[in-house]
Amino acid sequence: MKPGIHPAYGPVVFRDRAANYAFLTRSTMTSDKTIEWEDGNTYPVVDVEISHVSHPFYTGTARVLDTAGRVERFERRYGRRGAR
């Protein structure tokens, strides 16, 4: 790799605030906030809104929306547009 053009790549803790879960990985992201990890070292911490622990797709709580049923219910309630 060409020196001096790539961002620093190092250990970072990503913390999912919704699920109270954190994991240590390597990334180019940086942060001013730090956290002391389980191994006793201090790492930069990046707060995320959602991760694999809290995302509905991975947790199995995803809902399937019945869009066809909603359209039919709307047409029953308000009638078809243009029908006189």
Side-chain angles (χ1 to χ4, degrees), residues 6-72:
H6 299 284
Y9 182 73
V12 177
V13 174
F14 286 93
R15 182 171 48 188
D16 183 353
R17 301 294 266 180
N20 197 20
Y21 177 76
F23 58 95
L24 177 65
T25 187
R26 294 178 55 87
S27 177
T28 58
M29 291 191 72
T30 59
S31 175
D32 294 335
K33 295 188 267 181
T34 60
I35 189 171
E36 186 171 336
W37 194 242
E38 300 160 354
D39 61 2
N41 294 328
T42 302
Y43 298 107
V45 62
V46 176
D47 291 326
V48 294
E49 294 179 17
I50 198 161
S51 71
H52 70 281
V53 176
S54 59
H55 194 280
F57 179 79
Y58 295 107
T59 60
T61 58
R63 296 184 306 167
V64 177
L65 296 177
D66 179 22
T67 56
R70 288 182 179 197
V71 171
E72 291 167 357

Side-chain angles (χ1 to χ4, degrees), residues 1-7 9:
M1 290 194 309
K2 203 175 201 180
I5 63 168
H6 299 284
Y9 182 73

